[in-house]
Amino acid sequence: MLVTLCTLITALTCVSGVTVVTQKPPVLSVREGETATMDCNLGTVTNNEFYWYKQIPGGVPQYVLRFHHTYSSSYYGSGFSSPKFTSTHQSTTDYRLIIKNVEEGDSAVYYCQTWDSSASENVSQ
């Protein structure tokens, strides 16, 4: 069975007009039991902490994990844990969410988010 994992939209420009957060792919379909990966690019934002959220249509966003770049460590929300959900980083602006052994309940919209301390605003996708 195919499970579709979504990233709501491809890019978001914040109110300041200078911060662009991009998630790829915009829609991801994988078979149950496979591994899903989603990438988020923070553009010009560099921050040590980065967040992933999961939202089932009609529901409220759920905090999946917070990834701390400096320590390469993850902190999980209630009901989420390693090794099923993990995050990695390729740089201070490129992050990846990895969902192992995908099942139907993982089908949702996933958001990436960080704090742009230089602009004093939240930046999310």
Side-chain angles (χ1 to χ4, degrees), residues 43-60:
T44 59
V45 178
T46 56
N47 196 329
N48 286 331
E49 292 186 334
F50 181 81
Y51 301 80
W52 285 102
Y53 293 89
K54 171 186 178 180
Q55 186 173 18
I56 296 170
V60 297

Side-chain angles (χ1 to χ4, degrees), residues 13-20 44-45 116 118-123:
T13 302
C14 292
V15 177
S16 66
V18 296
T19 304
V20 177
T44 59
V45 178
D116 184 356
S118 68
S120 297
E121 65 186 17
N122 275 312
V123 181

Side-chain angles (χ1 to χ4, degrees), residues 23-101:
Q23 270 186 255
K24 292 181 181 177
V27 177
L28 175 63
S29 295
V30 296
R31 296 195 182 280
E32 284 188 274
E34 292 183 341
T35 297
T37 61
M38 289 168 266
D39 295 319
C40 188
N41 177 274
L42 304 180
T44 59
V45 178
T46 56
N47 196 329
N48 286 331
E49 292 186 334
F50 181 81
Y51 301 80
W52 285 102
Y53 293 89
K54 171 186 178 180
Q55 186 173 18
I56 296 170
V60 297
Q62 298 174 283
Y63 161 61
V64 176
L65 65 85
R66 171 174 56 104
F67 182 81
H68 197 283
H69 177 268
T70 304
Y71 306 114
S72 292
S73 57
S74 296
Y75 306 90
Y76 293 89
S78 179
F80 300 95
S81 63
S82 177
K84 180 161 180 78
F85 293 90
T86 57
S87 189
T88 62
H89 64 93
Q90 291 73 43
S91 69
T92 56
T93 59
D94 291 299
Y95 292 83
R96 174 170 286 167
L97 176 66
I98 302 163
I99 306 172
K100 295 181 181 175
N101 196 24

